[in-house]
Amino acid sequence: MKIAVYSTKNYDRKYLDLINVKYGFDIEFFDFMLNETTAKMAEHSDVVCIFVNDDGSRKVLEKLAALGVKMIALRCAGFNNVDLKAAQELGLQVVRVPAYSPEAVAEHTVGLMMTLNRRIHRAYQRTREANFSLEGLIGFNMHGRTVGVIGTGKIGIAVMRILKGFGMHILAFDPFKNPAAEELGAEYVDLDELYTRSHVISLHCPATPENYHLLNRDAFAKMKDGVMIINTSRGTLIDTQAAIDALKQRKIGALGMDVYENERELFFEDKSNEVIQDDVFRRLSACHNVLLTGHQAFLTEEALMSISEVTLSNVYTLQTGKPCENNVLPS
């Protein structure tokens, strides 16, 4: 069984190689993304392993199927970048890693909250320049404030556990109520009520057509002035241009983003010697109350081990003809 791994970074190779000792697959690593041009590199491969920004569109899948590829193994939870209808028509199996370390993403989420609230990123830059003024660094007590958590799956629940420890009142929205959220004392409300009552809003839901630009101009208009918004899920959940306007109007007081709707051409690469052509991203990054990280919320040792284990386990399970619980398509 040969596996072609696209968008490989050093940490991907390290942990996949470590886990592969017990499976013995023939793994070939590529540091570039999967797209129509690079699909040909998967020749003679049985499995193609991809990440969040690889191209799994119909044209790419057709090329892979023509090369003899039988399986797409996503080493992430989301699968919005794969044309599932095309995959089914082409006889390609699609598996994913539904949950690798909810705590990793949750802890990064809260890290963004605390950094923005207490202006730690600004204070760090000041003290490096021997500027110890406290002007402009006032935050607020998280204790007693209201947080709105949109999406109450495993990551949303992990975030709630931390924020409950801060003494925050938790509002929740999800089409499917999770008893674990209610056990933590979360109050399920509709989106409009969550928008109007929350001091902090944190997104933990997938990228689906229904969730596209979930936070848009209308949503921002319903929120408290100075609301803090955190997104560690998918970039398309936020209408970025509308968010910039809301920042200018001071409707959004702080914005933390580990994802960005046009991140494919930016994230996971060193662009420090280039002029960023994305004007929207440049406007965002110029705001002192915006904190951007490059899709790193998942990046812990524990998460990378789990991702590698589940990815290769998925391949092994299907190879042996057994049903795989992480199969995205109906068997």
Side-chain angles (χ1 to χ4, degrees):
M1 180 70 77
K2 183 175 180 180
I3 305 174
V5 181
Y6 284 83
S7 297
T8 303
K9 303 302 178 188
N10 288 334
Y11 48 80
D12 293 309
R13 183 165 193 154
K14 173 183 175 180
Y15 290 97
L16 283 169
D17 278 343
L18 188 65
I19 298 298
N20 191 42
V21 170
K22 69 177 179 180
Y23 290 106
F25 294 128
D26 178 9
I27 302 180
E28 186 171 10
F29 296 96
F30 302 125
D31 61 3
F32 42 80
M33 289 192 296
L34 172 66
N35 54 40
E36 288 187 56
T37 302
T38 62
K40 62 186 178 182
M41 300 302 295
E43 189 174 10
H44 306 305
S45 297
D46 306 287
V47 182
V48 163
C49 181
I50 61 175
F51 198 49
V52 293
N53 289 326
D54 287 297
D55 184 355
S57 62
R58 176 178 288 274
K59 289 185 178 180
V60 174
L61 296 182
E62 288 173 346
K63 290 189 175 186
L64 293 177
L67 292 170
V69 172
K70 297 293 188 293
M71 188 191 313
I72 306 297
L74 288 143
R75 57 184 191 276
C76 53
F79 47 87
N80 55 290
N81 55 328
V82 177
D83 186 331
L84 298 182
K85 182 179 179 182
Q88 193 162 26
E89 291 173 0
L90 294 165
L92 293 169
Q93 293 176 301
V94 182
V95 290
R96 65 176 181 135
V97 183
Y100 31 89
S101 179
E103 291 74 24
V105 181
E107 290 166 11
H108 191 83
T109 297
V110 177
L112 290 174
M113 288 183 193
M114 296 303 296
T115 302
L116 283 164
N117 179 25
R118 303 307 299 269
R119 279 49 168 194
I120 294 171
H121 56 309
R122 299 187 67 195
Y124 169 74
Q125 292 296 339
R126 285 188 187 184
T127 55
R128 281 173 59 87
E129 298 172 359
N131 177 358
F132 304 106
S133 168
L134 301 183
E135 293 296 332
L137 301 182
I138 299 174
F140 58 83
N141 282 9
M142 303 287 279
H143 181 87
R145 297 278 177 155
T146 298
V147 59
V149 178
I150 302 178
T152 57
K154 292 182 179 181
I155 296 174
I157 294 297
V159 169
M160 289 180 182
R161 289 196 190 100
I162 300 172
L163 299 183
K164 182 181 180 181
F166 284 173
M168 299 190 79
H169 178 60
I170 303 172
L171 303 180
F173 173 82
D174 196 302
F176 307 97
K177 291 185 179 180
N178 188 337
E182 295 174 315
E183 289 171 10
L184 288 168
E187 176 187 356
Y188 274 99
V189 296
D190 62 29
L191 277 176
D192 283 353
E193 185 173 353
L194 185 146
Y195 293 152
T196 57
R197 292 175 57 188
S198 299
H199 299 98
V200 179
I201 294 174
S202 192
L203 298 171
H204 303 287
C205 41
T208 63
E210 296 78 17
N211 288 340
Y212 180 75
H213 284 180
L214 179 68
L215 298 194
N216 52 31
R217 293 183 192 282
D218 290 341
F220 294 138
K222 297 171 185 174
M223 296 177 189
K224 290 181 178 293
D225 290 342
V227 65
M228 177 188 292
I229 296 173
I230 307 293
N231 186 12
T232 54
S233 292
R234 288 292 182 265
T236 54
L237 297 176
I238 294 180
D239 181 338
T240 313
Q241 186 56 60
I244 290 173
D245 293 339
L247 283 161
K248 289 166 63 178
Q249 297 158 8
R250 300 187 179 180
K251 172 60 72 172
I252 299 177
L255 176 62
M257 298 171 63
D258 185 55
V259 289
Y260 170 60
E261 63 179 321
N262 297 313
E263 70 179 55
R264 177 172 289 180
E265 303 303 320
L266 293 173
F267 286 10
F268 305 110
E269 303 297 335
D270 181 358
K271 303 285 185 179
S272 59
N273 291 318
E274 301 178 24
V275 176
I276 302 300
Q277 300 298 316
D278 187 332
D279 291 338
V280 174
F281 182 85
R282 291 175 65 184
R283 290 183 69 186
L284 267 182
S285 59
C287 297
H288 69 83
N289 54 346
V290 174
L291 185 57
L292 298 163
T293 54
H295 211 131
Q296 72 175 77
F298 75 99
L299 199 65
T300 65
E301 295 177 359
E302 293 82 357
L304 290 167
M305 283 287 286
S306 179
I307 289 169
S308 299
E309 173 61 50
V310 176
T311 298
L312 297 186
S313 174
N314 287 341
V315 174
Y316 177 78
T317 300
L318 290 179
Q319 179 194 27
T320 56
K322 298 177 183 177
C324 180
E325 64 181 356
N326 298 323
N327 205 332
V328 176
L329 296 174
S331 56

